[in-house]
C-alpha cells in the first residue's frame, strides 16, 4: 500500500505547481484589472486588417 | 449628453468623430462630416498614422476636443517638482506615468490609447485600465517632453485630468495582491488537507496502518502552517489590537478558536491519536478571507474621500511681466496675477483686476445663479468663471481660502470606517464572554473527574464556538446589498454604510442641485407665442454662449441651428447676433436698455428671466425657474411618515412657501445657510441623539455630508466631481431613496437572522463539546457547514429582498447594464 505515498507526493507536486502559477499570476498584476483585457481582445489585430483590405483592393 | 440612438444610427447630420450634431458642412474630409475643426484634425491625424480602425470599433467613438490644445497650458508639467509627484518611475532613458483620462468610454478608446506609440516615436508601451479610466504610458523624455505628451493626448480628445489631489494620492498599494495571495494559499491548504483527510472521514485509514495516520497528520500541520501564519495574519493582528484596547471585537474569539484548533491538532498528531483538524482550520480561514474580500469591494472609478484638492486644477495661468506662464498651484503666491477662462475654477481667494467676471458659486454656496462682479470685488475660491476671460490677483494662499477652511473642521478628521459600534461587534462582546465562561465551567466540571476530558472539553468548546459563521453574516449581507444597489447606480463607499443607513431616522436635504435642477424643464416663454422660425433663431443664438441660462434656453427650444453672424456677448448680461438677416438679442432688462430697447413694464419676469428682442423690438421673456426633479414630491411623501425631514438651502427664502407645502408642517426648513451652518445643524441633530442622513450635491454640502451619519452625494454624472461622502447616487435615481432606506433596514434584519442561525449551530456544537463527546467527524462537518449555511442564507436572502423591493417600478431600464464600467474591484485597505 506504500504506492499511496507516491500518489500523495505526486498530487502535492501538481498542486504546488498550480499554486506557483497562481502566485506568479497575482505578482505579475493579472488580478489588478480584470475588465480591460476582456475589451482588448475585441479589437482585431491591426496588421491582419490592413492586409485584408489590401487584398480586397487587389 | 448625446442620446444614444444618435450614436448608433449615425444620422447624416452627426459628426463622424464624436457624433454631435454638425451646424453646417464646413468641416469635410474624405466624405466625412465633422462638427468642428478639432474633430476633423483628430480624424486626419489618425488617418495619417494608419489608425482608422478606431472608427470601426464603435460608431462615432471620439471625444469632442474642447480645448484648442494650446501647448502652453501644459508647460508646468516640465517642472521637475511636478514630474516627481506624477511619475511612477523615471530615469534618463524612459519615464512611466499613470494619467487619469476621464474621456475614456469605450473599446475604441482603449484600442486607440494602447496604439498611441504609432502617433509619436517617443511613446512606448501604453496600458489602459478601463475601470479606473487610467492609462499608464511609458515614454522617452528626450524624444517627447511630458508637456508634449499631455498636449498630444488633449489634442486627440483625451485630456488628462490633473488635479491637486491627484499628485498626493498614495500609489496603488500591494495590499490588493496580498489579499489574493492569502485567499489562494488558504484555498490550496484547505483543498489538499481535505483530500488527505477523506480516508479518515470514510473510515478507510485502517487499510494503511498507523504510519499513514502519522504521516498525513504531519503533512496537514505543515500545509496549514503558512495558512495560519500568513493568511490569517490580519486576524491575529486585529485580535491583538482588540485585546490591547480591551475591546472584545469579533476577531478575539476567532483568534482564540483558530489557535485552539491548531494547538489541538499538534497535540493529536504528536500523541498519535489522529490527524488533527487542519482541513477545517484552513477552510474557516478561507471563508473568513472571502467574507473580508466581499466586504471590502470598492468602486475604483469613484472617489469617496475627495477633499478640496480634488476639485482644484494642478495649474493655473499666471501673468508675469514676461508674459503668461502656466504654474503649479502649489507654487502660487499671494499677489500673483492669474488668468481664468470660461469654466475654470478659482483656486484661491482673489480680487478682480480686469474682465467681465461672472462667477458661478453653485459649487460653494448652492446658489444657482452666477453672480456678476465688479473690479476690485473680492472673489471666493471655488467659484467658476462663466463667460469671457478675467484677470484676478490672489489675496490669500490656496490652503487658507474660504473653501479650504471647511476642511479644517474636525468633522473631516474623524474616521468612522473602523466602526467598533457595529452590529457584529456589539453582538460579539456578549458572545465572547459567554463562550469563555462556558469553556471554563466545562473544564472546571471535568477537572476533578478526568483531567484529559477536561482539556478536551475546554478546547472543543473554544473550537466549536469559533464564531466564523457569525463573522460572515454581516459582510455577506452588506456586500450583497452593496452590489445590488450598484446595479441601480447607487454606490456605497463600503459595506458598513448599509448598517449605518438602517439606523437613520432623520433625513436632511439640500435644495439646489439636489431636489431641484436647472434643466430644460422650467423654461417658459412669456409673451406672444414664438413662431417656429423665431424659436430657431433664438436657439441658434443661445447655442453660441455657455452661460447656464443660454444653455437651458437652447436645450428647451431644441437643436435646430442656423449660422450666427456678428456674435457678441457681454459676460453674465446678454448675447446678440445676426441670424438670417435678423438681429436677435437675449439678455437682462438693463442690458437691453443700454442698447435702446426698453421693454414695457408688462413683460412679467419672475425669478430670473431672460428678455428677448428681435430686430430692435422687444419680443417677450423667458422665465427660468429651478424645477423640482421628477417624483421628488412622491419621495418626500413616502419619507415624511417614517423620518424626520429637514431642508437646508444656501439659497434665499424666495421659494419657502413652495417647499413648506411639499415638506409638510413638521419639517424644518432653513434658508441662507452657509456650509458651516449646515454642518452645525447636523451636529445639533446628532446631539439630540438623531441618526442623520444628509443628501446634498455641491462642495457647499461637503461639511454636512461628512458630519452626517450617512452622507449621500447626488451627482448628475457618475465618476465626475462629488464631495466626500458615504454614498454616491445618480441624480435620476433620487426617487428610489425611500426604497434604499427600506432595503437597508431589511438587511439589518437579515444580519440578525444570520446571527441566530450561527448561534444555533454553536449551541448544538458547544453542548456536545461541553459534554466531552465531540468526535472529529462531527467537528469537521459542523464547522464548515455553519459557515456555508450562513453564506448561502445571507447572500440569498439579501438578493431576494433586494429583488422584491426594487422590482416594482422602472423594471424596463433597471436591468440595463449600467454598472459594467463600474464593476467593483476588491481593494484591500487595511483596517488595522
Amino acid at each position: 500500500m506504500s504506492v499511496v505515498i507516491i500518489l500523495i507526493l505526486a498530487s502535492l507536486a501538481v498542486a504546488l505547481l498550480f499554486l506557483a502559477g497562481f502566485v506568479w499570476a497575482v505578482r505579475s498584476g493579472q488580478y489588478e484589472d480584470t475588465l480591460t483585457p476582456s475589451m482588448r481582445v475585441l479589437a482585431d489585430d491591426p496588421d491582419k486588417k490592413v492586409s485584408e483590405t489590401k487584398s480586397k483592393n487587389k | 449628453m448625446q442620446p444614444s440612438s444618435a450614436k448608433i444610427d449615425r444620422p447624416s447630420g452627426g459628426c463622424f468623430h464624436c457624433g454631435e450634431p454638425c451646424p453646417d458642412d464646413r468641416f469635410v474630409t474624405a466624405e466625412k462630416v465633422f462638427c468642428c475643426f478639432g474633430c476633423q484634425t483628430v480624424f486626419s491625424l489618425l488617418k495619417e498614422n494608419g489608425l482608422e480602425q478606431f472608427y470601426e470599433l464603435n460608431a462615432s467613438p471620439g471625444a469632442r476636443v474642447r480645448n484648442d490644445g494650446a501647448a502652453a497650458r501644459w508647460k508646468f508639467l516640465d517642472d521637475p517638482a511636478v514630474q516627481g509627484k506624477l511619475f511612477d518611475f523615471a530615469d534618463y532613458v524612459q519615464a512611466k506615468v499613470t494619467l487619469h483620462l476621464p474621456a475614456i468610454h469605450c473599446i475604441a478608446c482603449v484600442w486607440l490609447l494602447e496604439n498611441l506609440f504609432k502617433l509619436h516615436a517617443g511613446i512606448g508601451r501604453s496600458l489602459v485600465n478601463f475601470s479606473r479610466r487610467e492609462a499608464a504610458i511609458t515614454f522617452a523624455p528626450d524624444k517627447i517632453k511630458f508637456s508634449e505628451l499631455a498636449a498630444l493626448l488633449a489634442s486627440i480628445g483625451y485630456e488628462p485630468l490633473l488635479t491637486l489631489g491627484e499628485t498626493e494620492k498614495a500609489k496603488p498599494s500591494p495590499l490588493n495582491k496580498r489579499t489574493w495571495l492569502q485567499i489562494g494559499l488558504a484555498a490550496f491548504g484547505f483543498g489538499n488537507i481535505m483530500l488527505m483527510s477523506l480516508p479518515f472521514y470514510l473510515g478507510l485509514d485502517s487499510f494503511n496502518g498507523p504510519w499513514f495516520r502519522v504521516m498525513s497528520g504531519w503533512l496537514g500541520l505543515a500545509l496549514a502552517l503558512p495558512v495560519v501564519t500568513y493568511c490569517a495574519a490580519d486576524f491575529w493582528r486585529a485580535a491583538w489590537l482588540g485585546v490591547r484596547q480591551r475591546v472584545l471585537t469579533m476577531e478575539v474569539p476567532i483568534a482564540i478558536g483558530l489557535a485552539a484548533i491548531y494547538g489541538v491538532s499538534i497535540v493529536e498528531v504528536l500523541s498519535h491519536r489522529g490527524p488533527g483538524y487542519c482541513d477545517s482550520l484552513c477552510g474557516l480561514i478561507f471563508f473568513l478571507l472571502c467574507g473580508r474580500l466581499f466586504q471590502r469591494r470598492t468602486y475604483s472609478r469613484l472617489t469617496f474621500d475627495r477633499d478640496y484638492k480634488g476639485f482644484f486644477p494642478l495649474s493655473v495661468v499666471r501673468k508675469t511681466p514676461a508674459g503668461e506662464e502656466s504654474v503649479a498651484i502649489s507654487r502660487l503666491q499671494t499677489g500673483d496675477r492669474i488668468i481664468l477662462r470660461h469654466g475654470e475654477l478659482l483656486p484661491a481667494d482673489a480680487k478682480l483686476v480686469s474682465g467681465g467676471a461672472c462667477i458661478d458659486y453653485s459649487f460653494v454656496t448652492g446658489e444657482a445663479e452666477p453672480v456678476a462682479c465688479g473690479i476690485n470685488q473680492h472673489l471666493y475660491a471655488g467659484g467658476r468663471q462663466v463667460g469671457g476671460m478675467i484677470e484676478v490677483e490672489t489675496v490669500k494662499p490656496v490652503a487658507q481660502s474660504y473653501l479650504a477652511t471647511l476642511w479644517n473642521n474636525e468633522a473631516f478628521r474623524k474616521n468612522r470606517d473602523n466602526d467598533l459600534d457595529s452590529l457584529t461587534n456589539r453582538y460579539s462582546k456578549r458572545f465572547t464572554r459567554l463562550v469563555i465562561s462556558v469553556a471554563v465551567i466545562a473544564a472546571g466540571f471535568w477537572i476533578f473527574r478526568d483531567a484529559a476530558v477536561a482539556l478536551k472539553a475546554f478546547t472543543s468548546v473554544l473550537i466549536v464556538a469559533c464564531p466564523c459563521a457569525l463573522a460572515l453574516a454581516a459582510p455577506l449581507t452588506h456586500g450583497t446589498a452593496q452590489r445590488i444597489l450598484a446595479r441601480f447606480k447607487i454606490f456605497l463607499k463600503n459595506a458598513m454604510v448599509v448598517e449605518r443607513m438602517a439606523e437613520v431616522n432623520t433625513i436632511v436635504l439640500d435644495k439646489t442641485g439636489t431636489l431641484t435642477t436647472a434643466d430644460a424643464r422650467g423654461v417658459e416663454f412669456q409673451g406672444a407665442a414664438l413662431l417656429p422660425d423665431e424659436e430657431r433663431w433664438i436657439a441658434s443664438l443661445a447655442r453660441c454662449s455657455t452661460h447656464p441660462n443660454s444653455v437651458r434656453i437652447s436645450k428647451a427650444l431644441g437643436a435646430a441651428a442656423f449660422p450666427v453672424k456678428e456674435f457678441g456677448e457681454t459676460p453674465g448680461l446678454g448675447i446678440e447676433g445676426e441670424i438670417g438677416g435678423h438681429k436677435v438679442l437675449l439678455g437682462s432688462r438693463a442690458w437691453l436698455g443700454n442698447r435702446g430697447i426698453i421693454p414695457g413694464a408688462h413683460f412679467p419676469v419672475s425669478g430670473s428671466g431672460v428678455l428677448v428682442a428681435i430686430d430692435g423690438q422687444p419680443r417677450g421673456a423667458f422665465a427660468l425657474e429651478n424645477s423640482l426633479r421628477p417624483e421628488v414630491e412622491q419621495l418626500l411623501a413616502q419619507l415624511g411618515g417614517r423620518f424626520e425631514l429637514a431642508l437646508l438651502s444656501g439659497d434665499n427664502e424666495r421659494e419657502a412657501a413652495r417647499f413648506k407645502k411639499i415638506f409638510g408642517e413638521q419639517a424644518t426648513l432653513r434658508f441662507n445657510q452657509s456650509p458651516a451652518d449646515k454642518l452645525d445643524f447636523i451636529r445639533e441633530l446628532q446631539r439630540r441623539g438623531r441618526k442623520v442622513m444628509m443628501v446634498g450635491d455641491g462642495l457647499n454640502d461637503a461639511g454636512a455630508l461628512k458630519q452626517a451619519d450617512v452622507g449621500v452625494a447626488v451627482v448628475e454624472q457618475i465618476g465626475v466631481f462629488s464631495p466626500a461622502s458615504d454614498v454616491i447616487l445618480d441624480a435620476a435615481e433620487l426617487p428610489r431613496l425611500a426604497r434604499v432606506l427600506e432595503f437597508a433596514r431589511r438587511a439589518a434584519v437579515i444580519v440578525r437572522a444570520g446571527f441566530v442561525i450561527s448561534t444555533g449551530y454553536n449551541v448544538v456544537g458547544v453542548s456536545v463539546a461541553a459534554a466531552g463527546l465531540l468526535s472529529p467527524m462531527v467537528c469537521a462537518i459542523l464547522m464548515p457547514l455553519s459557515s456555508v449555511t450562513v453564506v448561502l442564507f445571507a447572500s440569498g436572502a439579501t438578493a431576494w429582498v433586494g429583488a422584491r423591493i426594487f422590482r416594482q417600478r422602472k423594471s424596463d431600464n433597471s436591468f440595463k447594464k449600467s454598472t459594467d464600467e463600474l464593476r467593483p474591484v476588491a481593494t484591500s485597505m487595511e483596517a488595522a
Side-chain angles (χ1 to χ4, degrees):
Chain A
M1 268 318 223
S2 53
V3 72
V4 85
I5 296 179
I6 301 170
L7 283 176
I8 286 177
L9 287 179
S11 80
L12 259 183
V14 173
L16 279 170
L17 211 68
F18 278 102
L19 184 69
F22 175 74
V23 170
W24 168 79
V26 173
R27 286 260 168 94
S28 64
Q30 292 183 27
Y31 280 71
E32 304 275 289
D33 179 12
T34 48
L35 180 60
T36 323
S38 67
M39 309 178 76
R40 207 169 280 145
V41 294
L42 293 175
D44 292 323
D45 191 9
D47 298 325
K48 197 176 141 201
K49 200 90 193 172
V50 170
S51 59
E52 261 173 28
T53 43
K54 267 182 194 163
S55 61
K56 262 182 211 164
N57 292 345
K58 277 170 199 170
Chain B
M1 270 231 228
Q2 270 300 301
S4 54
S5 61
K7 285 205 168 173
I8 296 159
D9 302 331
R10 205 187 319 174
S12 52
C15 171
F16 184 71
H17 178 71
C18 69
E20 299 216 1
C22 306
D24 46 35
D25 293 347
R26 262 193 297 164
F27 306 105
V28 180
T29 306
E31 295 165 18
K32 315 279 197 295
V33 187
F34 299 92
C35 65
C36 59
F37 183 64
C39 289
Q40 191 183 23
T41 316
V42 178
F43 174 76
S44 310
L45 183 73
L46 297 186
K47 199 172 155 62
E48 270 167 38
N49 291 283
L51 290 168
E52 293 132 299
Q53 202 199 339
F54 180 58
Y55 297 97
E56 289 165 23
L57 288 168
N58 200 351
S60 305
R64 188 167 187 170
V65 184
R66 269 166 307 167
N67 280 299
D68 44 1
R73 276 184 62 215
W74 307 102
K75 270 282 173 272
F76 71 98
L77 289 178
D78 293 328
D79 181 343
V82 173
Q83 289 189 347
K85 279 180 185 163
L86 286 171
F87 283 5
D88 302 332
F89 162 84
D91 61 18
Y92 294 109
V93 191
Q94 60 174 355
K96 191 181 168 200
V97 64
T98 305
L99 291 171
H100 184 199
L101 310 174
I104 296 177
H105 65 278
C106 66
I107 296 170
C109 302
V110 175
W111 181 83
L112 177 63
L113 288 168
E114 298 198 336
N115 282 288
L116 210 58
F117 63 90
K118 289 185 182 162
L119 289 179
H120 196 289
I123 299 174
R125 181 181 153 86
S126 48
L127 203 64
V128 175
N129 184 326
F130 187 79
S131 45
R132 288 178 191 273
R133 302 290 190 272
E134 279 176 356
I137 301 169
T138 313
F139 64 100
D142 52 337
K143 289 196 189 127
I144 179 169
K145 280 195 227 155
F146 186 33
S147 61
E148 290 166 355
L149 176 68
L152 175 69
L153 284 168
S155 75
I156 58 170
Y158 299 97
E159 189 174 311
L161 182 68
L162 297 162
T163 63
L164 201 54
E166 206 99 350
T167 53
E168 293 175 14
K169 76 168 177 221
K171 296 285 171 199
S173 66
L175 282 173
N176 196 6
K177 288 184 183 175
R178 191 166 158 244
T179 311
W180 284 111
L181 285 177
Q182 285 176 332
I183 289 184
L185 194 62
F188 167 80
F190 178 36
N192 284 287
I193 303 172
M194 182 69 107
L195 209 61
M196 282 186 297
S197 310
L198 271 182
F200 300 100
Y201 295 152
L202 302 175
L204 300 173
D205 56 316
S206 52
F207 289 104
N208 290 312
W211 58 268
F212 182 70
R213 181 179 289 228
V214 177
M215 185 200 70
S216 51
W218 280 109
L219 260 177
L221 285 180
L223 286 173
L225 189 66
V227 178
V228 172
T229 51
Y230 178 69
C231 302
D234 295 340
F235 296 106
W236 301 124
R237 203 173 299 134
W240 174 236
L241 204 76
V243 169
R244 257 200 351 215
Q245 292 176 347
R246 296 180 188 284
V247 186
L248 285 175
T249 55
M250 190 53 100
E251 275 86 5
V252 178
I254 289 178
I256 294 175
L258 295 181
I261 300 174
Y262 201 60
V264 168
S265 301
I266 293 175
V267 171
E268 286 211 347
V269 172
L270 282 179
S271 60
H272 295 212
R273 262 187 296 167
Y277 312 102
C278 289
D279 52 342
S280 307
L281 177 68
C282 293
L284 290 181
I285 294 174
F286 173 69
F287 286 131
L288 284 170
L289 286 171
C290 288
R292 282 166 82 98
L293 187 74
F294 212 73
Q295 191 173 25
R296 285 186 184 173
R297 285 158 184 277
T298 54
Y299 302 95
S300 51
R301 208 183 130 204
L302 303 178
T303 317
F304 289 92
D305 288 314
R306 212 191 287 273
D307 69 1
Y308 67 95
K309 288 174 184 151
F311 294 87
F312 283 175
L314 195 56
S315 75
V316 282
V317 178
R318 180 164 66 183
K319 199 174 174 188
T320 59
E324 289 176 15
E325 61 171 9
S326 196
V327 62
I329 284 208
S330 50
R331 299 193 166 198
L332 201 63
Q333 283 160 358
T334 309
D336 279 352
R337 294 254 170 127
I338 56 178
I339 296 199
L340 287 188
R341 295 193 168 80
H342 168 72
E344 288 181 343
L345 201 76
L346 186 64
D349 291 7
K351 69 172 196 267
L352 185 64
V353 176
S354 71
C358 180
I359 307 288
D360 170 14
Y361 282 121
S362 59
F363 234 35
V364 189
T365 60
E367 176 71 54
E369 196 75 4
V371 189
C373 304
I375 303 292
N376 273 336
Q377 198 169 334
H378 190 96
L379 310 178
Y380 294 100
R384 205 180 268 283
Q385 163 66 359
V386 180
M389 192 180 88
I390 54 168
E391 189 183 328
V392 299
E393 187 181 314
T394 57
V395 294
K396 271 185 194 169
V398 174
Q400 287 172 25
S401 67
Y402 173 69
L403 193 58
T405 49
L406 191 61
W407 267 266
N408 297 331
N409 195 295
E410 59 177 305
F412 286 91
R413 286 197 214 109
K414 64 178 183 188
N415 182 3
R416 277 178 320 209
D417 293 340
N418 309 329
D419 211 337
L420 285 177
D421 194 37
S422 68
L423 215 55
T424 311
N425 279 338
R426 263 178 292 180
Y427 191 83
S428 89
K429 270 180 216 161
R430 274 177 271 159
F431 180 86
T432 311
R433 287 197 199 107
L434 189 72
V435 167
I436 293 177
S437 37
V438 169
V440 170
I441 291 166
F445 177 78
W446 285 105
I447 198 132
F448 302 109
R449 294 169 181 80
D450 184 344
V453 176
L455 184 70
K456 189 180 164 194
F458 183 71
T459 50
S460 337
V461 169
L462 290 182
I463 292 172
V464 170
C466 179
C468 295
L470 212 59
L472 285 170
L476 260 296
T477 306
H478 294 154
T480 310
Q482 189 188 15
R483 225 184 50 231
I484 291 171
L485 289 174
R487 222 186 291 156
F488 299 98
K489 296 192 191 171
I490 300 158
F491 301 100
L492 271 51
K493 178 180 174 183
N494 57 39
M496 282 300 297
V497 175
V498 179
E499 200 172 302
R500 289 211 299 271
M501 205 141 68
E503 293 169 356
V504 163
N505 51 22
T506 306
I507 302 174
V508 180
L509 298 118
D510 169 55
K511 184 175 77 78
T512 316
T514 305
L515 292 183
T516 67
T517 173
D519 63 6
R521 293 174 305 117
V523 178
E524 198 188 325
F525 186 74
Q526 300 175 341
L530 291 168
L531 303 170
D533 260 356
E534 288 175 323
E535 270 191 14
R536 274 193 243 163
W537 297 338
I538 296 168
S540 310
L541 178 67
R543 204 166 167 262
C544 297
S545 163
T546 44
H547 189 280
N549 285 351
S550 307
V551 174
R552 284 180 72 183
I553 290 174
S554 85
K555 261 192 198 157
L557 291 178
F562 288 120
V564 178
K565 286 181 208 145
E566 291 171 35
F567 175 76
E569 177 163 15
T570 313
L573 292 173
I575 50 176
E576 58 190 318
E578 199 188 299
I579 300 131
H582 297 274
K583 189 127 184 72
V584 181
L585 286 87
L586 286 172
S588 71
R589 185 178 291 263
W591 183 77
L592 285 176
N594 286 345
R595 277 160 179 69
I597 300 162
I598 314 292
H602 62 275
F603 276 91
V605 178
S606 62
S608 51
V610 175
L611 280 76
V612 186
I614 296 176
D615 293 330
Q617 290 304 313
R619 185 66 186 79
F622 285 99
L624 303 163
E625 290 286 347
N626 270 342
S627 49
L628 271 187
R629 287 189 191 279
E631 297 177 60
V632 160
E633 292 185 46
Q634 290 95 309
L635 170 73
L636 291 172
Q638 283 168 24
L639 294 174
R642 280 177 286 160
F643 301 94
E644 188 181 325
L645 292 180
L647 175 82
L648 293 182
S649 176
D651 232 338
N652 56 36
E653 290 182 33
R654 196 172 62 212
E655 295 174 297
R658 179 182 172 200
F659 280 95
K660 192 90 206 161
K661 215 169 84 194
I662 303 173
F663 270 77
E665 286 306 315
Q666 312 92 314
T668 319
L669 305 184
R670 292 202 182 174
F671 294 90
N672 299 316
Q673 297 282 298
S674 75
D677 291 340
K678 292 187 179 184
L679 199 160
D680 289 339
F681 180 76
I682 305 273
R683 196 173 282 160
E684 189 50 43
L685 283 173
Q686 285 170 333
R687 207 165 288 147
R688 273 168 41 205
R690 312 296 300 184
K691 295 279 181 190
V692 186
M693 173 188 259
M694 171 77 201
V695 187
D697 70 319
L699 276 186
N700 57 322
D701 301 317
L705 287 173
K706 189 77 187 177
Q707 175 67 35
D709 296 279
V710 180
V712 182
V714 176
V715 296
E716 295 284 350
Q717 222 179 329
I718 297 284
V720 187
F721 292 137
S722 57
S725 58
D726 301 306
V727 182
I728 293 178
L729 178 84
D730 188 300
E733 305 299 326
L734 188 66
R736 288 191 201 270
L737 195 65
R739 283 159 197 249
V740 172
L741 286 162
E742 174 65 18
F743 184 38
R745 219 178 45 76
R746 300 256 182 103
V749 175
I750 293 172
V751 172
R752 291 210 172 84
F755 288 170
V756 171
I757 292 177
S758 75
T759 311
Y761 273 110
N762 279 325
V763 168
V764 174
V766 168
S767 38
V768 177
L773 294 170
L774 199 64
S775 73
M777 185 76 177
V778 175
C779 202
I781 292 173
L782 205 59
M783 283 196 293
L785 191 66
S786 66
S787 298
V788 170
T789 316
V790 169
V791 167
L792 291 180
F793 170 76
S795 45
T798 314
W800 185 71
V801 167
R804 275 199 46 187
I805 289 184
F806 290 106
R807 188 187 48 195
Q808 288 120 330
R809 199 171 39 94
K810 282 195 179 178
S811 53
D812 49 336
N813 63 2
S814 58
F815 293 103
K816 195 170 59 181
K817 272 199 96 182
S818 57
T819 52
D820 53 347
E821 66 222 49
L822 279 158
R823 279 210 321 190
V825 295
T827 310
S828 168
M829 283 163 290
E830 278 316 278

